[in-house]
Amino acid sequence: MMDNNGLKIGSYALTSRLIVGTGKYSSLELMRDCHAASGSNCVTVAVRRERLVDKTSGRNILDFIDPEKYILLPNTAGCFTAEEVVRVARLGREMLTDSGFRGADWVKLECLGDTTTLLPEPVGTLQALKTLVADGFQVLVYCSDDVMLCKRLQDEGAAAIMPAGSPIGSGQGVLNPNAIRIILEQLKEKNPDYPVIVDAGVGTASDVSLAMELGVDGVLLNTAIAGAKVPLQMAKAMGLATLSGRLAFEAGRIPRKLYATASSPWEGRINA
Amino acid sequence: MLSPVIYGKINLMEVVVNGQIKQVVEGISVQELLDQFQIKPIRVAVERNREIVTRKQFSATRLTAGDQIEIVTFVGGG
């Protein structure tokens, strides 16, 4: 039987190949419903200062995420140096320790270069990875689709590599499928099960399917659902696209040819 | 500035919480600080002068004047 649904990253078993974000939803109720519609069982969350005043009736995002169903993936979104990344990762781990939620010992490493491009900063990313691995974290690394950088991050002990399809929230899809192909070939040479996940940039279901058809192990997205006109419907579409893309990848597409090949036999035509 | 100041009978001190200067009772514990801001301990992580204070240490950890406290929680993100 095909194992097209599940994905193992480090010590975590995901039941879907789609990882979804928790940001930009118009309400926490909508976020919760979109998570359910997506079929994902892994959601990523950011670390920020708690508000000291004007707390909206004590509602916390974790009250809208079922710890039985979802694995939390803390991220270091908004960090610009290795030092910040490590600090935020440790705070995320501390928050999840003895909290009833799974996910304390892994982190999505995000170390950005600037606020305009939101592109990953490779040097800080590599530095932070080394420290976090030494500190016992299973690290999923958000990075650019640079083949050599991805190889280096794998060598330094990343639990998964997560190249961006295109800039965060841009909805441009996978801009360089060939880079993703090469990354897949290079990283899976050493370990065929090594997880490579496209993180960021997808805009719609076909972007997700295309990424999955390239052979990536999963897709992480946020804005494509939260920013859609009907987020709940897009969540469902993204779940299906992840699954169909994976199925198609495993099924193996036909080669591209320049000329047509008839599907019906030439033999037996009445005017032959 | 960031030193104990006597206000009537209660000794207050200044600490920095999430970047804001706050006057708190001298010797306040992390747990009491969270109570004061009506923050549930289960939903936050706390740093005191860049060192993480574990949840188990909240009651036993007492602040001193000038301490830099960070109280963080999870928010939506991608």
Side-chain angles (χ1 to χ4, degrees):
Chain A
M1 191 60 199
M2 287 172 296
D3 178 28
N4 43 54
N5 268 320
L7 170 61
K8 198 162 187 295
I9 304 173
S11 61
Y12 291 95
L14 278 56
T15 54
S16 161
R17 292 179 179 275
L18 180 63
I19 300 173
V20 287
T22 54
K24 295 188 181 174
Y25 285 97
S26 56
S27 74
L28 290 169
E29 287 81 1
L30 180 62
M31 177 200 77
R32 178 193 59 207
D33 294 346
C34 285
H35 287 169
S38 75
S40 173
N41 81 321
C42 180
V43 301
T44 184
V45 283
V47 175
R48 290 292 180 272
R49 280 175 166 166
E50 175 64 288
R51 278 167 294 184
L52 303 180
V53 287
D54 300 331
K55 288 194 283 291
T56 40
S57 65
R59 282 153 52 110
N60 186 282
I61 195 167
L62 294 195
D63 299 329
F64 292 81
I65 300 170
D66 179 358
E68 299 294 319
K69 185 172 175 195
Y70 297 101
I71 303 165
L72 286 184
L73 174 59
N75 65 52
T76 66
C79 291
F80 292 89
T81 65
E83 191 188 8
E84 284 173 19
V85 166
V86 171
R87 195 175 167 199
V88 167
R90 286 174 177 159
L91 284 165
R93 174 169 68 184
E94 184 57 33
M95 233 178 316
L96 286 183
T97 302
D98 300 324
S99 69
F101 283 88
R102 291 167 288 167
D105 66 340
W106 73 348
V107 66
K108 174 188 154 179
L109 191 175
E110 186 174 316
C111 184
L112 303 178
D114 63 51
T115 55
T116 309
T117 66
L118 298 180
L119 290 172
E121 199 283 288
V123 178
T125 299
L126 184 64
Q127 282 175 348
L129 172 66
K130 289 179 184 177
T131 307
L132 290 174
V133 167
D135 200 13
F137 279 94
Q138 306 186 68
V139 189
L140 289 68
V141 188
Y142 169 66
C143 57
S144 55
D145 59 5
D146 182 282
V147 180
M148 291 307 142
L149 176 66
C150 289
K151 285 177 74 166
R152 182 73 193 278
L153 294 167
Q154 181 189 32
D155 290 343
E156 294 293 345
I161 295 293
M162 306 206 290
S166 54
I168 293 174
S170 72
Q172 297 180 58
V174 179
L175 288 179
N176 192 347
N178 286 344
I180 302 292
R181 282 193 184 98
I182 296 172
I183 289 166
L184 283 166
E185 282 198 12
Q186 294 293 312
L187 269 52
K188 285 176 182 288
E189 201 173 277
K190 295 173 186 167
N191 172 11
D193 296 325
Y194 190 78
V196 177
I197 293 166
V198 163
D199 178 358
V202 299
T204 187
S206 56
D207 295 336
V208 171
S209 284
L210 186 143
M212 293 306 296
E213 287 169 17
L214 293 173
V216 301
D217 298 273
V219 170
L220 191 158
L221 60 87
N222 188 147
T223 308
I225 293 177
K229 210 180 286 176
V230 187
L232 199 58
Q233 195 163 327
M234 189 57 92
K236 175 102 181 166
M238 291 308 197
L240 291 170
T242 306
L243 188 56
S244 67
R246 182 65 188 183
L247 282 169
F249 167 71
E250 291 184 0
R253 61 155 299 141
I254 59 163
R256 284 188 170 84
K257 287 180 294 188
L258 189 57
Y259 289 97
T261 312
S263 303
S264 311
W266 292 115
E267 209 177 312
R269 286 173 300 144
I270 57 169
N271 55 348
Chain B
M1 175 98 171
L2 296 174
S3 58
V5 184
I6 297 170
Y7 292 86
K9 288 176 184 173
I10 308 163
N11 289 339
L12 297 181
M13 62 177 184
E14 287 182 339
V15 294
V16 179
V17 184
N18 288 1
Q20 303 170 32
I21 295 174
K22 297 282 178 188
Q23 290 186 339
V24 295
V25 176
E26 227 185 322
I28 192 173
S29 70
V30 170
Q31 181 63 56
E32 288 161 351
L33 185 74
L34 295 176
D35 291 345
Q36 193 169 314
F37 291 117
Q38 297 176 300
I39 293 168
K40 290 182 201 163
I42 193 72
R43 293 290 186 244
V44 296
V46 177
E47 255 186 10
R48 178 196 184 198
N49 302 327
R50 297 266 180 147
E51 293 282 327
I52 285 177
V53 181
T54 65
R55 219 169 269 127
K56 284 172 189 163
Q57 298 170 319
F58 280 179
S59 292
T61 304
R62 302 209 163 269
L63 307 191
T64 54
D67 274 355
Q68 303 270 337
I69 307 296
E70 289 289 341
I71 305 171
V72 299
T73 191
F74 283 126
V75 300

